[in-house]
Amino acid sequence: MIEFQQKIAFTDQLTGLYNSPGAVRFCERIAAQYPLGDYASCFINLKNLKYINRQMDNHAGDQAMRQYARGLSRLLDPEREQMARLGGDNFFALVRKDNLENFIQLATAMPMEVTHEGRAHSITLSAWIGVYPAAGGENPRDLLDNA
């Protein structure tokens, strides 16, 4: 029961990613095990998601966010890198610097298909990304605040 409550407390229900408290907890765990100077934190804001919601519907927008989250998560080592949905169309990612270029390339523009009224629609979900390359002296909260 406690494990279930913790999962709910630290997980975004739409995407299955960490939520904000989960991201803090993950960053704290990483800081205890690895040098933070090996990491960069990324703040991701999806562009024009409201357009998908208006032109299709919120269900299509939710599909797009779930696919975006899954697609980027596949690039990450789940033991050492993670993403979180901060709310709305904003995400956070803690990425090793040696994986950052690949991550940014896909995060900036991800092609996908969403279903609306029984038809598949090809779209590309684009994002603005702010990157904070850690220097090594930060505390875990700095990674979230500076992204």
Side-chain angles (χ1 to χ4, degrees):
M1 181 69 157
I2 292 173
E3 186 176 314
F4 176 73
Q5 290 173 333
Q6 286 185 341
K7 182 175 173 83
I8 289 175
F10 297 113
T11 304
D12 174 68
Q13 298 306 303
L14 177 65
T15 62
L17 298 174
Y18 284 119
N19 58 17
S20 291
V24 171
R25 191 172 181 200
F26 180 78
C27 288
E28 289 170 347
R29 184 174 68 77
I30 290 300
Q33 294 178 329
Y34 303 102
L36 289 181
D38 293 346
Y39 287 85
S41 57
C42 303
F43 176 81
I44 303 164
N45 176 253
L46 298 180
K47 294 195 271 185
N48 299 321
L49 186 66
K50 63 185 170 206
Y51 175 76
I52 295 169
N53 289 332
R54 279 190 210 138
Q55 295 298 314
M56 295 182 198
D57 57 27
N58 288 353
H59 179 69
D62 290 351
Q63 283 181 66
M65 278 203 293
R66 281 192 296 271
Q67 287 186 50
Y68 187 81
R70 275 194 305 268
L72 287 178
S73 292
R74 284 188 202 114
L75 291 178
L76 303 177
D77 173 353
E79 296 299 316
R80 296 185 62 194
E81 303 169 295
Q82 280 293 332
M83 282 184 64
R85 180 172 173 234
L86 303 177
D89 59 1
N90 297 311
F91 294 83
F92 167 82
L94 184 64
V95 182
R96 288 186 339 268
K97 288 178 181 174
D98 62 0
N99 190 26
L100 187 60
E101 187 175 331
N102 290 334
F103 181 84
I104 290 173
Q105 184 176 1
L106 184 59
T108 302
M110 182 184 295
M112 65 181 67
E113 284 192 358
V114 295
T115 304
H116 175 63
E117 296 179 348
R119 290 188 8 207
H121 298 269
S122 294
I123 64 169
T124 297
L125 199 56
S126 300
W128 299 104
I129 303 173
V131 177
Y132 172 72
E138 300 86 354
N139 68 52
R141 187 69 203 190
D142 291 338
L143 297 174
L144 282 156
D145 292 342
N146 292 326

